Each structure stands twice: as structure tokens, then as C-alpha cells.
Amino acid sequence: MSIRIARTTLTALALASLAATAAAQGGDKIKVGLMLPFSGTYAALGVAIENGFKLYVQEQGGKLGGREIEYVKVDDESDPAKATDNVNKLIKRDNVDVIVGTVHSGVAMAMAKAAKESGTLLIIPNAGADAVTGPMCAPNIFRSSFSNWQPAYAMGVVAAKEGKKTAITLTWKYAAGDESVNGFKEGFEKNGGKVVKQLTLPFPNVEFQALLTEIAAAKPDAVYSFMAGGGAVKLVKDYAAAGLNKSIPLYGPGFLTDGTLDAQGDTAQGMLTTLHYADGLNTPKDNAFRAAYAQAFKLQPDVYSVQGYDAAQMLGAGLAATKGDFGKKAELSAAIQKAKIDSPRGAFTMSRAHNPVQDMYLRKVEGKENKVVGVAVKALADPARGCRM
Ligand code: PHB
């Protein structure tokens, strides 16, 4: 009996010490909390981000910083009212090492607040909320995507260069729409244009008819819209059905036509948008990414898949420096900040506020592609207004 107890105790001790060694060497699995929309108007965006993230991890043999990855998934439904509870489940109940999410700016701001309080590493693979790399910036918060200001500002510059003098904006009424309009206005008005009216509707409503009637009556030179996912599909189709696409160009950040062209069909032909990704870049990195993505998921990649892929690259860069140790927070953060990310969009670096400094492409819809036409603004950095870091 006593021998058996001794043996059990020894086994327990041996196991405990093995576990401790494994943890110290970073041998246990990394817990990645994927907080993304898997339902609602942004559902396809969430799936593309998850696919992109997992593709990079697979290419690394399933490991980052020498450690295997385990995923915990939460459908955030793009609902800001549920965001704090959802992110706290990941941080407090599931004890994740890192959070990757999300798409919707309102949800992302609640996540950034929770991450700032807990110190958990957060990598945002889409949501452009200016505040996250502005007043809310923090050593443990990074973005692999864009700020709402970036593609919007670039489109303002392009619209003015196209000779447009007046524009009406039409967006969802939440942070992303508001900030996108502000960015466009800044680029457009600095170059001689004037935003004459700002139309909005609540997220995720898609009843555009009354607003399109108002636009038809006002006859601006151009319309600028922030819409994405299911809402972008519906707007572009309704705009064409109303015949407006023949007389007043519909501009926007590239979300208006990215990942949506199959559903928009002919209605999007010829549209000009600006974004940090495009079809037809024809670089070795992008060609390899697109082939691997298509093979793995039987789907064409889009900007969201690229942002998911690059979120994993950023995490990998940080963990390579700490050999998989999340405890070395300063080293982890410094390594991500200094990394040059070999993105399918083109290599990018991080601003001091942890947002990509990147080229904004001008794209034109041709068939099922957002074909690159040129670079609208080179190496554009978000101004990071209000970030003290
Ligand atoms: C946002 O809420 O920041 C957002 C959502 C969808 C997009 C882009 C930005 O495609």
C-alpha cells in the first residue's frame, strides 16, 4: 500500500515537473482566441480572416515560436452590445494567450479596452477604428489591416484628381462609416472638392431606396460610400438598378467591391475604389499566397484573407523573438513593431502606433476582379492622432 502511494506521488511529481518544464520551454500549446463575425452581414469576412490566419500557421508546420496552436472561437455577431462579455470570456474563462479579432469597429473598441486592462496581446485583422491606433493605442495592441482613415483619404485624393467637385457620402452610422467619411472629406477637400451632404443609415440596415432618390435629385459629381459584406453587395446592385451608375460614379474604400464581385455581377463593372490590396499585383509572394489559399479552401482570397494571414505573420514574428514565450511582453511587442511583414499586399512595416504603413492601390472592377490600376498614395501612414506611446 505504502509503496503504491509513494509510486503515485512520485508519478504525480514527475508529471508536474514535466509540465512545468514544458511550459518554461514553451512546449504547451498556444491558445489563440478568434473573435470574429461568423453570422450576419460580415460573416464571409470572418471566415476569410480565419482561413488566412490558419493558412499561414499551416505553412509553418502548425507552429509559431516553436509551439503548436489551439483555437478558441467566438462568433461576435458584429454586435457591440455583446462585445465586452464575449472578449472577457476569452480572456478570463478560456485564458487565451492572444486574441485575434475583429471586423466591426464598434466591437473592436470594446476589445481594445479589455485588452488594455488585462494586458492580453490583441491583433486586429480588420476593424479600422481610428481610435485603436489613436487615443487607445497600447504596447499590446496591433493591427494587421488599416485605419478607416487610410483608404478613405486616398479615395478623396483620387476623386478630386478625377475632376469631381461635389460629393454626397452614404454610409452606415457607426465608427467605421463616420471615420471613413472624415478621411474622404479630408483628402477630397484638401484637393479642391466639397462634400455637400452626408447621408447615413443604421448598421446593418440596407433600405437604400429613399437615400438613392435623394441622390438622384441632388445630382452630385460623385457618391462616396463605406459599406462592406452583405451591405456592399446590396448597395452596388440597388445603385445600378436605379440607373445612377450611368451618371454619378459610386466611389468607396475597396470594401465596397472586395469579396463581393460574384454576388454583384455586372452591376459593379468599372467601379473605382482604393485599398491596400488588389487583384493582379502579380508578385511572387501574392501569386504563391493566392494559389495556396485557393487550393486549401476552394475559394478566391480577398483583402480579409490577406489581413488574417498577416495577423498570423505578425504573431509569428513576435513569438520567434521570444521563442514562444508570451511572458516576455516587452520583447514580444518590440519584435512585432520592428518586423517587416512580407504580405501578399506588398511588404509593410508598423507605425509607432502599431498600424501598417502601406501603399493604397487604385483598383478598377473588370469582370470578377478588382484590377490594380496604380498606387493612389504611396506608403500611407495613419496620422495616429491622439496616440501617446
Ligand atoms: C469596420 O467596422 O471597421 C469595418 C468593417 C468592415 C470592413 C471594413 C471596416 O470591410
Side-chain angles (χ1 to χ4, degrees):
M1 193 64 173
S2 66
I3 288 175
R4 202 183 287 160
I5 290 171
R7 208 182 272 155
T8 314
T9 313
L10 271 179
T11 312
L13 276 176
L15 280 177
S17 108
L18 263 181
T21 317
Q25 292 174 343
D28 55 340
K29 286 188 180 174
I30 293 169
K31 256 194 185 180
V32 174
L34 288 179
M35 182 161 156
L36 292 166
F38 295 110
S39 58
T41 198
Y42 289 159
L45 289 59
V47 171
I49 289 167
E50 178 183 1
N51 287 347
F53 192 95
K54 289 186 169 171
L55 178 63
Y56 182 74
V57 171
Q58 273 164 27
E59 288 175 358
Q60 310 310 305
K63 291 183 179 180
L64 296 180
R67 294 173 63 187
E68 280 177 28
I69 312 279
E70 174 184 339
Y71 297 97
V72 186
K73 280 168 62 168
V74 171
D75 176 6
D76 67 37
E77 303 168 52
S78 297
D79 186 349
K82 297 181 184 161
T84 302
D85 278 352
N86 280 331
V87 71
N88 280 328
K89 262 186 244 157
L90 288 175
I91 295 172
K92 294 180 183 154
R93 184 193 66 189
D94 300 319
N95 254 307
V96 299
D97 296 300
V98 50
I99 304 164
V100 176
T102 187
V103 169
H104 185 287
S105 274
V107 178
M109 282 194 279
M111 295 172 74
K113 187 166 178 287
K116 214 170 166 168
E117 282 164 13
S118 69
T120 313
L121 179 62
L122 169 65
I123 304 179
I124 300 174
N126 183 72
D130 291 344
V132 161
T133 50
M136 300 175 85
C137 71
N140 59 318
I141 300 176
F142 289 86
R143 184 150 51 197
S144 67
S145 50
F146 59 92
S147 75
N148 286 321
W149 180 89
Q150 282 178 308
Y153 175 84
M155 195 65 228
V157 173
V158 170
K161 277 197 189 141
E162 291 280 308
K164 307 302 175 200
K165 296 288 176 218
T166 59
I168 290 183
T169 61
L170 164 55
T171 65
W172 276 316
K173 182 81 199 139
Y174 80 99
D178 294 344
E179 293 170 357
S180 192
V181 166
N182 290 344
F184 174 77
K185 198 167 147 64
E186 191 178 328
F188 191 47
E189 297 194 345
K190 208 191 253 180
N191 291 282
K194 178 87 191 134
V195 170
V196 292
K197 192 176 272 185
Q198 302 185 9
L199 304 173
T200 61
L201 70 171
F203 176 86
N205 283 14
V206 288
E207 299 311 320
F208 299 118
Q209 218 45 55
L211 301 173
L212 296 182
T213 305
E214 205 172 329
I215 289 167
K219 296 192 177 59
D221 293 340
V223 171
Y224 172 86
S225 181
F226 166 85
M227 284 282 150
V233 171
K234 174 96 173 8
L235 175 66
V236 170
K237 286 171 107 173
D238 287 4
Y239 199 82
L244 286 170
N245 59 340
K246 300 204 179 67
S247 49
I248 309 171
L250 175 59
Y251 295 143
F255 316 116
L256 208 45
T257 55
D258 228 79
T260 55
L261 289 174
D262 279 340
Q264 288 162 336
D266 286 344
T267 60
Q269 292 312 301
M271 279 178 65
L272 292 179
T273 60
T274 44
L275 201 63
H276 47 287
Y277 190 55
D279 294 315
L281 292 178
N282 200 22
T283 58
K285 177 73 194 175
D286 191 42
N287 291 344
F289 166 76
R290 291 168 83 100
Y293 190 94
Q295 165 148 30
F297 307 109
K298 313 289 172 239
L299 284 170
Q300 286 309 307
D302 55 22
V303 69
Y304 309 104
S305 351
V306 170
Q307 293 168 172
Y309 187 83
D310 292 340
Q313 292 212 65
M314 286 163 59
L315 180 60
L319 289 175
T322 66
K323 301 198 168 49
D325 189 347
F326 279 91
K328 296 181 177 160
K329 285 181 192 272
E331 262 178 66
L332 188 65
S333 173
I336 304 177
Q337 154 86 68
K338 278 193 299 233
K340 186 169 179 189
I341 303 297
D342 187 17
S343 172
R345 77 189 82 173
F348 70 82
T349 52
M350 305 302 297
S351 71
R352 86 188 151 81
H354 299 172
N355 189 67
V357 178
Q358 54 196 339
D359 292 350
M360 290 292 138
Y361 299 106
L362 175 62
R363 310 115 46 87
K364 184 175 187 178
V365 177
E366 281 176 19
K368 293 286 167 65
E369 295 206 315
N370 286 289
K371 266 260 148 47
V372 61
V373 175
V375 175
V377 186
K378 186 118 197 88
L380 186 61
D382 180 83
R385 293 169 185 133
C387 170
R388 279 178 201 86
M389 189 163 63

